[in-house]
Amino acid sequence: MSGFNSKSAAAGSAAGPGGLLAGKEEKKKAGGGVLNRLKARRQAADDSFGAAVTEQELLALDTIRPEHVLRLSRATENYLCKPEDNVYSIDFTRFKIRDMETGTVLFEIAKPRVSDQEEEEEEEEGGDVDVSAGRFVRYQFTPAFLRLRTVGATVEFTVGDKPVSNFRMIERHYFRERLLKNFDFDFGFCITSSRNTFRLMIENPYETRSDSFYFVDNKLMMHNKADYAYNGGQ
């Protein structure tokens, strides 16, 4: 899971082309606040989504859909969409990982609340801006993290002044060129100017690279990346 301005997050020693037709859309009921209707669809690496595709083939498409990224066999080297494709102003503001057995918080990242005045001052300062800032995060854990049986993640995100329908996240974790696990979540409908949270559990947390793809109405509009190291404290 990625999408924070922080480029690195360290845990303490206690240690976290194309051609397919889109499927029939399911109608979602309106809702907001805490997304208690979150549905997780964990799919095995050998699910039948068709032949594998390459990152270059997807970059050549006008629209990238869920069934496309589900056919990737390795982590991407580039982003498959632009920051400005996020026309809904979805912003991930908090991410926390904890050991599910002991309840110990391994680490927590949170974006500071920025006032309108501070935003105006930043815009006036101008200068060169890294358009990919906030799209990549590096997690650094101690070796003890690899011995944890189950960790839980809590994610908080906000929505801008446009309602979001059929919001879906697909997160794929790889070790080298091997897909370890695929997470597929339906958030449904998110009202405007809302703050939302969701939770997930990860068993045997040994992934090293991941891609997080976010779709609205089956169209890719956000892509975040992360990698993981387990040499903290050494």
Side-chain angles (χ1 to χ4, degrees):
M1 187 68 57
S2 57
F4 296 89
N5 286 332
S6 172
K7 293 292 183 180
S8 174
S13 59
L20 295 180
L21 295 176
K24 183 178 180 182
E25 295 182 358
E26 298 179 354
K27 294 183 179 179
K28 304 293 181 182
K29 295 183 179 180
V34 177
L35 298 177
N36 55 13
R37 304 180 323 281
L38 183 63
K39 295 180 180 179
R41 300 193 301 266
R42 293 189 179 184
Q43 298 163 329
D46 59 353
D47 278 352
S48 300
F49 294 110
V53 296
T54 66
E55 176 181 342
Q56 289 69 30
E57 288 173 315
L58 295 192
L59 287 170
L61 297 177
D62 293 330
T63 299
I64 298 176
R65 301 191 182 279
E67 58 266 30
H68 298 145
V69 302
L70 288 168
R71 290 162 55 186
L72 286 167
S73 60
R74 58 180 298 173
T76 62
E77 299 297 331
N78 302 287
Y79 294 100
L80 301 187
C81 63
K82 301 175 182 178
E84 53 266 31
D85 291 334
N86 180 15
V87 298
Y88 299 92
S89 300
I90 297 172
D91 189 20
F92 290 88
T93 56
R94 182 180 296 272
F95 181 46
K96 178 173 67 176
I97 286 184
R98 62 191 177 95
D99 178 3
M100 295 300 293
E101 292 188 347
T102 65
T104 302
V105 175
L106 306 178
F107 72 86
E108 185 171 4
I109 311 172
K111 278 188 174 181
R113 300 284 180 94
V114 180
S115 67
D116 292 338
Q117 181 178 350
E118 289 174 323
E119 289 183 350
E120 291 177 359
E121 291 176 353
E122 289 180 356
E123 291 176 357
E124 290 175 358
E125 289 177 1
D128 295 332
V129 177
D130 181 1
V131 295
S132 293
R135 304 178 76 190
F136 172 78
V137 62
R138 171 163 292 152
Y139 300 109
Q140 186 171 40
F141 305 98
T142 65
F145 186 85
L146 296 172
R147 295 193 290 270
L148 299 179
R149 297 174 62 87
T150 306
V151 297
T154 301
V155 182
E156 178 184 272
F157 66 93
T158 58
V159 175
D161 56 5
K162 290 184 179 181
V164 177
S165 60
N166 298 316
F167 186 33
R168 178 179 176 182
M169 180 195 79
I170 296 175
E171 182 163 296
R172 293 166 71 79
H173 291 253
Y174 301 86
F175 177 70
R176 295 177 181 171
E177 295 186 15
R178 176 188 174 190
L179 176 67
L180 298 177
K181 190 163 293 187
N182 184 80
F183 296 96
D184 198 333
F185 297 93
D186 277 326
F187 299 97
F189 181 85
C190 303
I191 63 175
T192 60
S193 303
S194 60
R195 185 175 295 273
N196 310 273
T197 61
F198 71 95
R199 297 175 177 84
L200 67 153
M201 289 193 300
I202 304 173
E203 298 177 351
N204 301 318
Y206 48 78
E207 296 82 6
T208 57
R209 295 180 67 187
S210 66
D211 283 301
S212 300
F213 303 100
Y214 300 89
F215 299 84
V216 176
D217 288 333
N218 288 322
K219 179 180 179 180
L220 181 67
M221 59 96 195
M222 291 178 68
H223 178 194
N224 294 331
K225 302 170 69 64
D227 64 16
Y228 308 78
Y230 305 97
N231 56 359
Q234 296 182 355

